[in-house]
Amino acid sequence: MGRTTSPAHRAACSFPAGASVPRNPAPRPNPSPSPRGKRTSVDVVALLGPPGSGKSTVAAALTATRRDLRTFRLREFAQQQARTDRAVAMAMVNNRDSLGWLPDSLATGLARRALEGHVCHGGVLLMESYPGVPLQAACLLDDMKRLGCTGGVIELTAPEPVLLDRIERRLVCSVCDPQRRRPAQLDPEKPGTCASCGAALEQRSNDARRVAERRLARYRQYAPRTRTLWQSNGLDWCTVDADQDESCVVTTALSVFRALVRIPTSISTKGHA
């Protein structure tokens, strides 16, 4: 697949307020090989996995490890940019996907903008739940190659019954977490309330059983091809067993992350499959 041209290239990432991002940043020179032939460490990490695998929890733990780590979340990206970009706002209003997935043309443009901002500001870019489909992966690989970025993937996995059980039991607090991103801590003495603020907890609409099953099916549909595409382009793809205690999942993911941002990984120059 080739690179896709998007009408919506202007997106704002979770960069510091007031930070400017040039529209067409100059590509960074390709890292020079070390005496042993190794390249620079990974600076773009994709955190992937099916719904209920714990991506938001792991992302929060990874973010706490480095001050120079910024997180890209596609929907938050789009919502932020839609405040000032009419094209993005209209694309979101007109989106008719039954699960709320944004059109690939919009998604790839926003991801491209995030990557360009990352090149300007440096550090590590964590892409949570992105890319979601092979087309997005192909476009991201093209942009990473063009801008001189290196990348790796951390995929969280767990059996479907475990995922569905977690999703059904997951409640969020709109007070402590307005984005409703992470499961809330329940007050053991007051069922259905947040242990932190005492507010009533709620289930996200996309965590309803039938919706969750469709989300899992969509992930299963696209994940194998996305994995094949990235691995064929020389990217590290590391799998973490998410069917274990949360602290163990976080510890393992942190270990993989630290290895990725140290171990050199580059995108091969061969064409996309």
Side-chain angles (χ1 to χ4, degrees):
M1 300 179 201
R3 187 180 305 159
T4 298
T5 300
S6 167
H9 292 309
R10 302 181 299 279
C13 190
S14 51
F15 296 110
S20 61
V21 181
R23 186 166 301 280
N24 295 301
R28 289 182 295 189
N30 288 329
S32 300
S34 69
R36 294 185 179 182
K38 295 184 177 181
R39 295 167 66 87
T40 58
S41 61
V42 164
D43 63 331
V44 177
V45 176
L47 178 61
L48 307 179
S53 59
K55 296 184 296 295
S56 295
T57 299
V58 169
L62 298 183
T63 301
T65 65
R66 292 180 65 122
R67 293 182 179 179
D68 62 348
L69 186 147
R70 296 179 176 88
T71 303
F72 168 82
R73 298 182 182 91
L74 180 58
R75 182 158 297 279
E76 291 179 20
F77 235 43
Q79 290 172 343
Q80 182 179 356
Q81 186 60 20
R83 301 187 190 114
T84 56
D85 190 316
R86 182 174 175 79
V88 174
M90 291 303 296
M92 294 184 70
V93 168
N94 295 327
N95 184 32
R96 296 292 182 265
D97 184 85
S98 60
L99 294 179
W101 282 29
L102 299 180
D104 285 336
S105 59
L106 176 62
T108 55
L110 293 173
R112 181 175 300 117
R113 188 62 177 161
L115 198 62
E116 290 171 347
H118 161 65
V119 170
C120 296
H121 295 284
V124 176
L125 179 64
L126 179 67
M127 308 192 82
E128 185 180 332
S129 298
Y130 191 91
V133 299
L135 175 60
Q136 295 173 3
C139 292
L140 181 60
L141 285 166
D142 280 344
D143 291 330
M144 289 173 63
K145 195 180 303 183
R146 173 175 59 86
L147 294 168
C149 298
T150 57
V153 177
I154 300 175
E155 183 188 26
L156 308 180
T157 64
E160 185 164 316
V162 172
L163 297 171
L164 285 171
D165 180 64
R166 287 179 183 172
I167 293 170
E168 278 195 309
R169 292 188 293 105
R170 181 163 59 190
L171 297 174
V172 295
C173 178
S174 60
V175 176
C176 297
D177 182 15
Q179 297 288 343
R180 295 169 173 80
R181 194 184 304 136
R182 296 185 61 191
Q185 293 296 321
L186 280 67
D187 189 329
E189 298 181 358
K190 298 179 180 179
T193 61
C194 177
S196 299
C197 71
L201 301 178
E202 60 189 70
Q203 184 183 52
R204 299 185 302 195
S205 59
N206 63 354
D207 282 347
R209 178 81 181 199
R210 299 180 87 178
V211 179
E213 289 174 345
R214 292 170 59 203
R215 293 170 61 205
L216 286 169
R218 187 174 286 191
Y219 183 83
R220 289 198 308 270
Q221 176 185 356
Y222 292 118
R225 283 185 286 159
T226 299
R227 183 184 305 113
T228 298
L229 176 63
W230 277 49
Q231 289 178 326
S232 69
N233 279 270
L235 286 171
D236 284 326
W237 188 289
C238 307
T239 301
V240 173
D241 178 13
D243 184 16
Q244 52 184 326
D245 183 79
E246 180 180 295
S247 61
C248 294
V249 176
V250 170
T251 298
T252 304
L254 282 171
S255 177
V256 173
F257 174 76
R258 291 184 178 118
L260 281 174
V261 298
R262 288 198 306 264
I263 296 175
T265 306
S266 60
I267 301 174
S268 70
T269 56
K270 61 183 178 182
H272 298 311

